[in-house]
Amino acid sequence: MSEIIISGGKRLEGAVHVHGAKNSVLPILAATILSGSVSVIHNCPRLSDVDATVAILEHLGCRVSREGQTVTVDSSTLDRCDIPDHLMREMRSSVIFLGAVLARTGEARLCAPGGCELGPRPIDLHLAALRRLGADIREKGGDLRCRTKGLRGTEISLTIPSVGATENAMLAACGAKGETVIYNAAREPEIVDLQQFLNACGARVRGAGSSAVVVEGGIPLHMAEYTVMADRICAATYLSAAAIAGGEIEVEGVPRSQLVLITDLFSAAGCRIRAEERRIWLESDGRLRSVPPVRTAPYPGFPTDAQPPVMAALTKARGTTVFVETMFENRYRHTQELVRMGADIRVEGRVAVVCGAEKLHGANLEAADLRGGAALVVAALGAEGESRISGLHHIDRGYADLTERLAALGGAIYRN
């Protein structure tokens, strides 16, 4: 069984360029279906979730090739509208194909998606949005059968600003006749990235980054070439690693505006922060202090995906930090493993109280989900002794070459 092996206590020094955003590239790859042409996607990281997305595209009949960090999709050969169970269960984001396939073919058949077990994440909002656009959706035994005689523009009001439901509605609306307005839309930068790709294909989408996204549907799309944004959660993970391990690193590629809550937190914790437009420097002596309560929230609030690695960095901070997780009820699964390393964490429902420990020690650990796995890597870098982390299939979903990048910064880390 593959493991990551880390000998903690090594300072991190140097620069790391952040790869393309997992949460952006997946909907963009699904969106390539809409054009019925060739799409060239740059800055596409080598992640298992990307591999699963490519497998779905190929099953649908698309021709896909990769050269380095560039993936080329020819969707002119698409000839299917079904996605089998084993492909859907690879990742939660596979549900994003629902809107794209329905808009392209007028029919879609798939099952409930898989992904990290972070608690209930119903796709009711996705289905309600597509029904508003004119889809007939029937559910039976976990299978979804969707048909339409023609999608039509409408107004969609999301009860919560769901990222996936916003993206699905945007993709389906591109194939609808007339204008669609999505109210209470998610505002994440990944939504803006999807809008920019769709517009590069000839679509007319505006408003992404605000609470109302407008799509003028029914416009023929064409070939496009696009570069995916950098992954802000990966950037937060590298900053967390340097904060607990000590050292000075430069994180390149992510706009500082997307990380301001993270950098402000580490500044409050005692790190020295300097930032330019797409470069952030963090310097830490490894002796952190506690910070005011951290409450996760939809963008522009504190990102739930960054909570685990940031919590790991603060396990040795002097004082007490309170985390309030508002997004996913099972987001604290990593805390049990951190406690095994000597962390003092008490969880009550959606609240976690972290009392700074004098030191952490190495342990045999198992990642239970993607960001929780990253938290274990961060903690191990700041611990004394050797840690062995298993469950790497979770980490591989969202981090490309994580061990190599951290080793290049001076971490004593490798994968066997």
Side-chain angles (χ1 to χ4, degrees), residues 9-24:
K10 304 292 185 181
R11 288 172 56 86
L12 302 183
E13 305 279 351
V16 58
H17 188 85
V18 180
H19 60 64
K22 176 186 88 78
N23 291 336
S24 189

Side-chain angles (χ1 to χ4, degrees), residues 238 399-411 413-415:
Y238 290 120
Y399 293 89
D401 304 320
L402 180 62
T403 54
E404 292 83 354
R405 290 166 186 259
L406 288 169
L409 293 173
I413 177 173
Y414 67 97
R415 181 169 179 158

Side-chain angles (χ1 to χ4, degrees), residues 239-246 265-272 282-291 310-319 356-357:
L239 293 172
S240 299
I244 190 173
L265 181 149
F266 283 126
S267 179
C271 299
R272 289 165 290 282
L282 180 146
E283 184 179 355
S284 170
D285 60 10
R287 296 191 295 271
L288 305 179
R289 56 178 177 262
S290 61
V291 299
V310 167
M311 178 188 288
L314 294 176
T315 53
K316 291 170 55 181
R318 298 186 306 275

Side-chain angles (χ1 to χ4, degrees), residues 137-210:
I137 303 176
R138 302 185 182 185
E139 304 174 63
K140 184 178 180 181
D143 292 330
L144 300 174
R145 292 180 178 267
C146 313
R147 286 192 175 90
T148 181
K149 294 181 179 179
L151 299 175
R152 56 186 181 278
T154 187
E155 293 185 350
I156 299 170
S157 294
L158 299 177
T159 55
I160 60 173
S162 162
V163 173
T166 300
E167 293 167 341
N168 243 332
M170 289 170 65
L171 297 182
C174 284
K177 291 184 178 180
E179 183 179 272
T180 296
V181 184
I182 306 166
Y183 293 108
N184 198 27
R187 300 166 59 186
E188 273 73 1
E190 293 79 9
I191 301 292
V192 178
D193 214 30
L194 178 60
Q195 171 181 278
Q196 291 174 343
F197 170 71
L198 291 170
N199 288 343
C201 295
R204 295 177 186 170
V205 186
R206 65 183 188 275
S210 74

Side-chain angles (χ1 to χ4, degrees), residues 26-49:
L26 303 184
I28 285 175
L29 286 174
T32 62
I33 290 173
L34 296 173
S35 70
S37 184
V38 174
S39 300
V40 181
I41 311 300
H42 301 296
N43 201 26
C44 188
R46 291 187 177 274
L47 307 172
S48 60
D49 269 11

